Amino acid sequence: MERILITGAGGQLGSELSNALAAKYGNEAIIATDINEKAGEKFDYCTFEILDVLDKERLESLVEQYKVTQVYHLAAILSAVGEKNPLFTWKLNMDSLLNVLELGRMKKINKIYWPSSIAVFGKNTPVDNTPQDCVMDPTTVYGISKLAGERWCAYYFEKYGVDVRSLRYPGLIGYKSAAGGGTTDYAVDIFRAAIDGEEFECFLDKDMYLPMMYMPDAIKATLDLMDAPKEDITIRSSYNVSAISFSPKDIYKVLLKYYPDFKIKYNPDFRQEIAASWPDSIDDTRARLDWDWQHDYDLEKMAKDILSHLAPNK
Ligand code: AKB
């Protein structure tokens, strides 16, 4: 029986991925962990443990206690927040990944999932249809940690045979939990403002195109990658995956169809510079060839789905 430990389970991706993994493997298979005790409120359906991912001994003892077979290591500090404390971001993002990879090397777990990001790309990366392999010169500490992490994943696979798999997520858009600390988060927050009838202040320029993905597609990509036969996985650093690309102006136009009085004002801050260093769109041919990746949601379909689930707060 699989026993799956998820770090950072209380986060935007973690809460939905934990649910999807519970639906697939059964509630008793899931050990959701988070540093934040309050996150436990989301996990009445499965085991929940407090875990600081820098605490290597506790991580190892949880793995032994619950006979864990797979770790989904999601805990990380994202791009915008990471710039406020670069050294701690590096420490948290890198040391925690190495703690998990070491469990793989010691054969204490069989499989690892670790997310990378489009933040691995930089100013000299081709902007359109960014290839899997190209110049990568990230400008944020988050991006640097993801690029180094990708190399560590490939290293642990090649040297020690650790079955670690990874995706370079675009901006992820969900409505079930708040986003936390990313440059792409405006595309999550704009829905709440539209529904609540508030003017939205956008921290990116109106024409700032970025690759994005609706959460159900991100969950599907993750589960498909983890299910793929080992021999089909030809990339052990991290796969490009893509779904949609849009700008703040594009998403605003879609929301106007539902809320004709919705107002937006553009007030770009330091996140605009981060976004400008990232690609507009991603070439994910390898994911499509290796494990049949296909996305389901475009911008219109995503917006319709999100708005059908959200109600005004007031
Ligand atoms: C961020 O904006 O930092 C993240 C990401 C693209 O990895 N959403």
Side-chain angles (χ1 to χ4, degrees), residues 51-63 95 98-100 102-103 105-106:
L51 174 66
D52 173 352
V53 284
L54 291 175
D55 188 343
K56 193 176 174 179
E57 281 74 39
R58 175 149 169 81
L59 171 65
E60 194 172 334
S61 89
L62 288 177
V63 163
D95 290 1
L98 288 168
N99 290 344
V100 176
E102 275 293 284
L103 293 173
R105 184 184 66 78
M106 294 184 295

Side-chain angles (χ1 to χ4, degrees), residues 31-63:
I31 301 100
T33 74
D34 202 284
I35 196 167
N36 180 358
E37 200 178 330
K38 254 186 105 33
E41 290 166 11
K42 295 182 177 173
F43 299 104
D44 54 357
Y45 63 87
C46 66
T47 301
F48 176 77
E49 294 279 358
I50 306 282
L51 174 66
D52 173 352
V53 284
L54 291 175
D55 188 343
K56 193 176 174 179
E57 281 74 39
R58 175 149 169 81
L59 171 65
E60 194 172 334
S61 89
L62 288 177
V63 163

